[in-house]
Amino acid sequence: MRRREFLKLMTASAAGGLVQVPAVWTPARAQSRSETLLVVTESGPNNLDIHGVGTNRSGYEVSWNCYDRLMSHGKKTLPDGTESYDRDVFVPELAEEWKVGDMSATFKLRKNAAFHDGTPITARDVKWSFDRAVTVGGFPTFQMKAGSLEKPEQFVVVDDHTFRVDFIRKDRLTMPDLSVVVPCVMHSALVKSKATANDPWGLEYTKNNVAGGGAYKVASWQPGTEIVYERNDAWSNGPLPKVKRIIWRMVPSAGNRRALIERGDADISFDLPNKDFAELKQAGKVAVTTTPVSNGIFYIGMNVAKPPFDNAKVRQAVAYAIPYQKIMDAVMFGLANPLYGGKSSTASGTVWPQPHPYTTDIAKAKALLAEAGYGNGLETTLSFDLGSAVIGEPACVLIQESLAQIGIKTTINKIPGANWRNELIKKDMPLIVNFFSGWLDYPEYFFFWAYHGQNAVFNTMSYQNKDMDALIDAARKAAAEGDDAAYQTSVKGFIGKSFVDVPRIPIFQPYLNIAMQKNVTGYRYWFHRQLDYRSLAKA
């Protein structure tokens, strides 16, 4: 069957219900199936460059597998037997070793490391890539700043294979921040050759082309349809991956994604409704792995910079109107940790996330709305990411119905996944359903991104409060100095303040669910919630 016919059937099934799903594998395939992995998801990358404007989460997966970083994380086994990255263990990647001093860290690069075109990787490429990350603006620059990586002057070429990072302050997040997706190493000569006066960092080129030296190369990319990777057989910055070819296909219909995994035509599927994951796990035909997303919450966000959500009582009214248990039962099917119904607005400790004190109380919600001056109700829009529609859409419907009971009329606004990040950047959506998890699993990191007055992209509520900023900054300082008492006080302080001011309403901590054929091994949970192909194998 030709791929055009396959896509036609996919479209027909999405529009008119599930039809018999065709086999994905064709006699003309270039690699044998044992050497190829087929992944099906709801949506795909909108940009191949993690530094690009509005790059979505799917784009992180491209960067993670096609570029190298100085170092990565080790692994550990969770109580249920699932493999996970180990937050506290760092392992070599492009750097074969490093030495951390009081105010700097020095990295020795592998001398045989090369980019995909064979050009040797040097410390000059590392510096240019880091300079780019802290200068280009937006998400990458703020991510680097979260680890006190802020100025090009901090990045020093000692010699071709020695690179140094100078610290501008002591910060326990600096070394972990060097192991996330953003500080990837790019082929500086190649990207600079594509740059222009209006595009000095070559973002237009890297949006559609990989300029890395990682374990995989992008062989082809059809946005919204499919991306194909080929293994970089010359990669020497870790064990050579076992899978030669990855086909990542976008299949919008959840029913078709389930059929493909059940029938054995697909090897891995993300983005299924939780009901499907629960049923697949019970049936036992495929392997289903379920891992709580570290440092992550699914939430309702309210734009506090504009009426009516600039009024704390309106926000609290919404918090009492959310149908929490209905969402847990009808949308999540229990595959999440509830984050509501806590004992009080005082934080119970420094663990994040933790439950806030709000529960569904329509009478209290109506009273608060009236106190805020909106006794006759109000109208607004409720927006969600179509790239995560399997959870976002049913959750929005339940929220819409519940808010109507207190006089808040909402129009549901469905935003294509490729545009979602750009819409968040604008910060003009009044009411949103969204998910955010902090890559670095520390509460002060989450709040630095999501609540600090520097108003980063993930502060989707435009929340700015000097007292909150002081608590977040104090927690970071205390962590760097090892002052546990001050750290405890500051973290409990900013968590408690978030409960009272409630610019965003946590609903649950989701699980990352993945369905795999039983002959697929080596899956590992990562903080970025995407696949690391390098550890995967097929029997």
Side-chain angles (χ1 to χ4, degrees):
M1 175 175 285
R2 296 180 183 274
R3 207 172 67 78
R4 183 178 296 175
E5 294 169 342
F6 170 80
L7 293 172
K8 185 177 180 181
L9 281 173
M10 291 290 99
T11 303
S13 65
L18 183 64
V19 299
Q20 183 175 355
V21 181
V24 174
W25 304 99
T26 71
R29 59 183 181 264
Q31 305 284 348
S32 71
R33 181 157 184 194
S34 64
E35 297 174 319
T36 303
L37 200 72
L38 176 68
V39 180
V40 292
T41 61
E42 185 169 9
S43 59
N46 64 351
N47 194 318
L48 302 184
D49 183 3
I50 186 66
H51 297 169
V53 177
T55 302
N56 61 8
R57 182 163 61 89
S58 296
Y60 303 169
E61 187 168 308
V62 180
S63 180
W64 188 253
N65 289 281
C66 295
Y67 290 90
D68 290 310
R69 280 141 290 277
L70 290 172
M71 56 186 188
S72 189
H73 286 274
K75 66 178 181 179
K76 63 182 179 181
T77 302
L78 301 176
D80 67 352
T82 303
E83 273 194 7
S84 170
Y85 85 102
D86 190 331
R87 185 196 75 172
D88 301 318
V89 175
F90 300 105
V91 298
E93 194 162 290
L94 178 59
E96 60 185 359
E97 60 180 73
W98 52 86
K99 182 179 180 181
V100 182
D102 189 48
M103 289 301 292
S104 68
T106 302
F107 298 85
K108 291 288 186 180
L109 308 186
R110 299 179 192 269
K111 293 184 178 180
N112 59 344
F115 291 110
H116 290 156
D117 66 359
T119 302
I121 300 175
T122 72
R124 287 182 292 278
D125 295 298
V126 181
K127 175 173 171 53
W128 185 86
S129 301
F130 281 32
D131 288 354
R132 185 189 204 241
V134 300
T135 305
V136 73
F139 164 63
T141 298
F142 200 90
Q143 175 61 49
M144 297 291 278
K145 187 175 182 180
S148 294
L149 302 166
E150 302 178 14
K151 305 173 182 178
E153 296 78 35
Q154 290 181 256
F155 313 127
V156 180
V157 175
V158 179
D159 59 43
D160 279 355
H161 297 98
T162 309
F163 175 73
R164 190 179 75 239
V165 176
D166 292 334
F167 306 153
I168 58 175
R169 67 181 68 89
K170 291 185 178 181
D171 188 339
R172 77 165 173 177
L173 300 182
T174 299
M175 294 302 286
D177 204 28
L178 292 172
S179 301
V180 300
V181 190
V182 167
C184 58
V185 179
M186 296 187 167
H187 191 328
S188 60
L190 173 61
V191 181
K192 284 191 286 187
S193 74
K194 306 296 182 180
T196 65
N198 293 328
D199 180 22
W201 294 108
L203 293 170
E204 282 302 311
Y205 176 76
T206 52
K207 180 178 182 178
N208 299 295
N209 300 276
V210 169
Y216 284 90
K217 306 175 184 180
V218 172
S220 65
W221 178 37
Q222 299 175 58
T225 301
E226 178 183 272
I227 184 166
V228 177
Y229 302 89
E230 299 287 353
R231 186 177 67 190
N232 174 18
D233 289 338
W235 191 63
S236 59
N237 298 331
L240 192 67
K242 294 182 175 62
V243 179
K244 289 185 177 181
R245 192 167 186 253
I246 309 286
I247 300 173
W248 178 6
R249 189 158 294 161
M250 290 82 243
V251 180
S253 164
N256 284 338
R257 293 196 302 278
R258 175 170 175 170
L260 287 167
I261 195 75
E262 282 189 302
R263 223 173 67 173
D265 289 326
D267 294 299
I268 296 177
S269 181
F270 279 107
D271 301 335
L272 290 172
N274 275 28
K275 180 176 183 290
D276 288 345
F277 279 119
E279 291 173 353
L280 288 170
K281 192 168 188 176
Q282 185 176 18
K285 186 178 179 181
V286 298
V288 176
T289 298
T290 298
T291 311
V293 175
S294 56
N295 216 10
I297 66 170
F298 183 90
Y299 68 94
I300 304 295
M302 294 163 282
N303 191 327
V304 304
K306 302 175 182 178
F309 300 115
D310 58 340
N311 188 316
K313 288 187 176 180
V314 173
R315 301 195 298 270
Q316 291 167 0
V318 173
Y320 279 116
I322 301 301
Y324 300 103
Q325 196 60 48
K326 286 184 179 179
I327 293 172
M328 286 293 293
D329 295 340
V331 180
M332 302 310 293
F333 289 83
L335 295 178
N337 295 325
L339 294 176
Y340 52 90
K343 292 181 179 179
S344 74
S345 58
T346 301
S348 60
T350 60
V351 174
W352 182 258
Q354 60 178 274
H356 58 71
Y358 301 94
T359 57
T360 307
D361 189 330
I362 298 301
K364 186 175 289 188
K366 285 182 176 179
L368 282 165
L369 202 61
E371 289 177 28
Y374 292 94
N376 294 324
L378 58 93
E379 294 187 16
T380 188
T381 58
L382 174 60
S383 303
F384 76 93
D385 176 6
L386 269 174
S388 303
V390 293
I391 292 176
E393 189 158 19
C396 281
V397 171
L398 291 174
I399 292 165
Q400 181 186 51
E401 292 172 352
S402 196
L403 289 178
Q405 296 180 50
I406 66 170
I408 298 180
K409 182 181 178 181
T410 59
T411 300
I412 295 178
N413 183 26
K414 305 177 182 181
I415 297 178
N419 300 335
W420 179 247
R421 181 65 62 82
N422 285 327
E423 291 303 312
L424 288 180
I425 290 171
K426 294 176 185 176
K427 299 194 178 188
D428 58 6
M429 294 182 288
L431 188 65
I432 64 171
V433 162
N434 195 32
F435 172 80
F436 175 68
S437 67
W439 284 349
L440 307 183
D441 194 8
Y442 303 90
E444 66 271 25
Y445 174 84
F446 184 103
F447 275 76
F448 180 75
W449 262 117
Y451 288 86
H452 199 283
Q454 293 179 89
N455 211 15
V457 58
F458 296 121
N459 182 349
T460 52
M461 315 82 59
S462 295
Y463 174 76
Q464 295 176 296
N465 183 289
K466 291 183 178 180
D467 292 337
M468 176 67 84
D469 295 350
L471 289 165
I472 296 169
D473 294 340
R476 294 189 63 180
K477 182 174 184 292
E481 296 173 351
D483 187 342
D484 186 62
Y487 180 78
Q488 294 268 340
T489 298
S490 299
V491 173
K492 290 178 182 178
F494 64 61
I495 292 175
K497 187 162 185 59
S498 76
F499 290 167
V500 174
D501 288 358
V502 69
R504 63 173 64 187
I505 308 163
I507 300 176
F508 55 79
Q509 177 188 19
Y511 297 161
L512 182 64
N513 302 308
I514 176 171
M516 299 173 284
Q517 299 303 329
K518 291 185 176 180
N519 67 336
V520 176
T521 59
Y523 168 73
R524 189 175 304 164
Y525 168 80
W526 280 92
F527 56 84
H528 46 64
R529 313 194 319 276
Q530 298 297 127
L531 288 176
D532 186 334
Y533 313 138
R534 297 171 296 182
S535 62
L536 296 172
K538 288 180 70 175

